[in-house]
Amino acid sequence: MREPDEIDVERYELFEDARSRFEVDRRDFVKSFGTGLLVLLVATKTDATDAQESGQRGRGGDRMPADVGAWLHIGEGGRITVFTGKTEIGQNIRTSLTQAVAEELGAPIASITLLMADTAKTPFDMGTFGSRTTPTMNAQLRKVAAAARSVLAERASARGKTLDAANFGELVKGSPLVATVTEKTTAKPANKWTVAGTAVPKVSGRDMVTGRHRYTTDMKKDGMLHGKVVRPPAYGVTLVKADTSAAGAMPGVVVVRDGTFLAVAAPTTAAANAAAAAIKAEWTPGPRASARTLFADLKAGADAGSAASGPAAINAQYTIAYIAHAPLEPRAALAEWEGDALTVWTGTQRPFGVQQELVDAFHLPADRVRVIVPDTGSAYGGKHTGDAAVEAARIARAAKKPVKLVWTREEEFAWAYFRPAGVIDVSGAIAPDGALMAWEFHNYNSGPSGLSTPYAVANPVEKFHQ
């Protein structure tokens, strides 16, 4: 029985010698797996939604791929591994995607393992957001599984056998196959489903309720230190000077100062907290913004709208406060350097986005940075960025040891990004015949969504100010 604070990190490193990236050619890609069945999904066209969801990495700022890749592997023992860049953050897509593959492949759910959100193992994916996993990734994996079953059926028929999940391993033994899937590949219609769309036990649910599953906050590595960032007293202030002598004299404590970044690493969380508290830091005064001036500050320096006039004119202002996402699991990351190669375990909705943040922060090539996302304790749209990942990696690089950084609930509320606050000014006027004769809509800071009126009006003024 494992102790509550122990973890076998390697359980998140399946197929360590079978790393796959979509830059390799087909021959090398197949050789990396040895025997088995590999299925590639190749789309003949993409739209903006599909490109958002999954696909081959682009160059520069263009991540609108021509091909959308998703694949699976069948081993000689009959075990099926499915790879997806999607993250499980409590919405139960690990189960629904497993059901989709089981349905089309004709295999038991228990024989299928999803390897999710590992930048060294899974296809590039823009992120898990917008409720797009079911209409996009689910459909992709169904096509992949359908194509795999078709190839397996042909092979079974050629050997005079009936296709059954029990002989999948035999059918791929010593003879790896590559099947290409196009948009012409068809999956089962919904009225033929027997597994997808039905109630099944949550995959890995027992691990969740018994505490066997290890979140980032539970992970351990040999020699690991615990990190703590010394936060400024307010946004917009910078570090002037810091007396770190008391913290540096504590046993096992490493003080990290990198420009205005100030942190400590220590053998225990308690020691890290004590060391951070012992640092005497001075900061610049800062802008002194507050909730009392928030909405005026958002409009400061921006173009002011014009008030509508007339007997049927309406002028209104609406305000939106900052709102914390408050995920159940605060931000956390475990970072480990091996030479100039970096691996980070962290809970995020965008593992490839966090990988890019780390690439930019440390000026590394992408193939030297790996991000692995264990199933995560929720996000609510609040884990698109890699704040904790970058911080943990900075501390680990200085300490020359693995470092785990876990934000407190106070840090989550004070330093995580929020849903944007905003001010919305609306002015309009109606003509005597009921037609909308004037319309002016200004959104300050809270996004352009819904900016345009659906009604016909001459010369509307619609502006998003950021």
Side-chain angles (χ1 to χ4, degrees):
M1 179 72 68
R2 288 178 178 163
E3 294 299 319
D5 61 347
E6 293 181 343
I7 183 169
D8 179 6
V9 172
E10 280 64 37
R11 70 187 289 238
Y12 293 99
E13 298 180 356
L14 302 175
F15 304 99
E16 183 62 37
D17 295 325
R19 297 190 180 199
S20 55
R21 297 183 183 84
F22 281 72
E23 292 82 356
V24 301
D25 64 30
R26 178 173 291 187
R27 182 184 300 273
D28 290 338
F29 195 41
V30 174
K31 284 168 60 178
S32 73
F33 279 98
T35 58
L37 173 69
L38 177 69
V39 181
L40 297 177
L41 176 63
V42 180
T44 58
K45 64 179 180 178
T46 60
D47 59 24
T49 299
D50 291 336
Q52 268 194 332
E53 284 296 306
S54 182
Q56 190 173 4
R57 294 183 228 190
R59 292 286 183 182
D62 179 16
R63 293 204 170 189
M64 302 285 285
D67 296 332
V68 179
W71 40 269
L72 61 81
H73 178 257
I74 300 176
E76 291 185 1
R79 289 295 305 176
I80 301 155
T81 304
V82 180
F83 300 80
T84 174
K86 293 297 176 197
T87 62
E88 173 59 66
I89 49 179
Q91 77 281 44
N92 208 22
I93 61 171
R94 182 177 289 280
T95 300
S96 64
L97 294 178
T98 300
Q99 284 180 274
V101 173
E103 180 66 66
E104 301 294 339
L105 198 56
I109 286 179
S111 69
I112 300 169
T113 299
L114 253 68
L115 197 157
M116 305 178 71
D118 181 337
T119 60
K121 304 291 176 69
T122 62
F124 172 82
D125 193 276
M126 185 69 76
T128 306
F129 44 73
S131 300
R132 300 303 306 165
T133 296
T134 296
T136 55
M137 183 58 67
N138 188 292
Q140 290 180 5
L141 293 183
R142 286 177 58 211
K143 281 192 172 185
V144 168
R149 183 172 179 83
S150 177
V151 173
L152 290 169
E154 290 176 2
R155 178 160 290 189
S157 177
R159 299 181 184 183
K161 296 183 178 181
T162 300
L163 181 63
D164 187 272
N167 62 18
F168 282 2
E170 179 186 346
L171 293 174
V172 300
K173 187 174 183 179
S175 183
L177 302 173
V178 175
T180 300
V181 183
T182 71
E183 290 181 343
K184 295 181 180 179
T185 304
T186 58
K188 290 182 184 178
N191 61 4
K192 300 292 186 182
W193 289 353
T194 60
V195 180
T198 66
V200 299
K202 176 183 174 70
V203 174
S204 72
R206 182 175 294 274
D207 289 351
M208 300 296 177
V209 300
T210 61
R212 184 182 179 190
H213 174 67
R214 292 298 182 254
Y215 297 90
T216 306
T217 51
D218 301 314
M219 290 183 167
K220 289 182 67 176
K221 292 284 285 185
D222 291 341
M224 183 186 80
L225 299 178
H226 297 262
K228 179 70 176 178
V229 177
V230 179
R231 306 282 181 192
Y235 280 103
V237 306
T238 57
L239 184 64
V240 175
K241 61 181 180 179
D243 180 356
T244 63
S245 57
M250 295 180 175
V253 170
V254 177
V255 177
V256 180
R257 181 167 181 180
D258 182 6
T260 62
F261 179 75
L262 185 59
V264 297
T268 66
T269 300
N273 290 337
I279 292 176
K280 296 180 175 62
E282 294 184 19
W283 310 85
T284 59
R288 302 187 184 280
S290 73
R292 291 186 297 272
T293 64
L294 171 62
F295 299 120
D297 292 341
L298 292 177
K299 293 185 64 175
D303 296 336
S306 302
S309 60
I314 297 176
N315 297 283
Q317 183 176 90
Y318 304 90
T319 58
I320 305 167
Y322 282 115
I323 298 177
H325 296 93
L328 302 179
E329 178 190 9
R331 282 159 177 72
L334 170 58
E336 181 178 35
W337 290 85
E338 294 183 356
D340 65 347
L342 171 64
T343 301
V344 178
W345 292 261
T346 190
T348 177
Q349 295 169 251
R350 298 178 60 245
F352 288 90
V354 172
Q355 180 194 41
Q356 188 60 51
E357 289 184 50
L358 293 164
V359 164
D360 294 340
F362 298 102
H363 308 290
L364 295 171
D367 62 1
R368 305 300 292 169
V369 178
R370 181 181 182 186
V371 174
I372 305 170
V373 182
D375 288 6
T376 297
S378 75
Y380 310 129
K383 290 182 179 175
H384 286 234
T385 58
D387 313 69
V390 174
E391 291 171 346
R394 292 177 82 172
I395 302 170
R397 184 175 64 171
K400 296 180 173 55
K401 290 184 178 181
V403 167
K404 181 169 71 176
L405 177 70
V406 180
W407 282 28
T408 64
R409 182 59 63 187
E410 290 83 359
E411 286 176 304
E412 189 71 36
F413 277 111
W415 291 99
Y417 68 89
F418 302 138
R419 193 189 77 171
V423 177
I424 299 173
D425 288 338
V426 186
S427 298
I430 300 174
D433 63 359
L436 186 61
M437 60 181 292
W439 177 261
E440 190 160 343
F441 192 106
H442 294 263
N443 185 319
Y444 300 87
N445 193 63
S446 57
S449 180
L451 193 62
S452 298
T453 176
Y455 301 105
V457 58
N459 302 317
V461 177
E462 298 159 335
K463 291 184 179 180
F464 167 52
H465 308 268
Q466 190 172 18

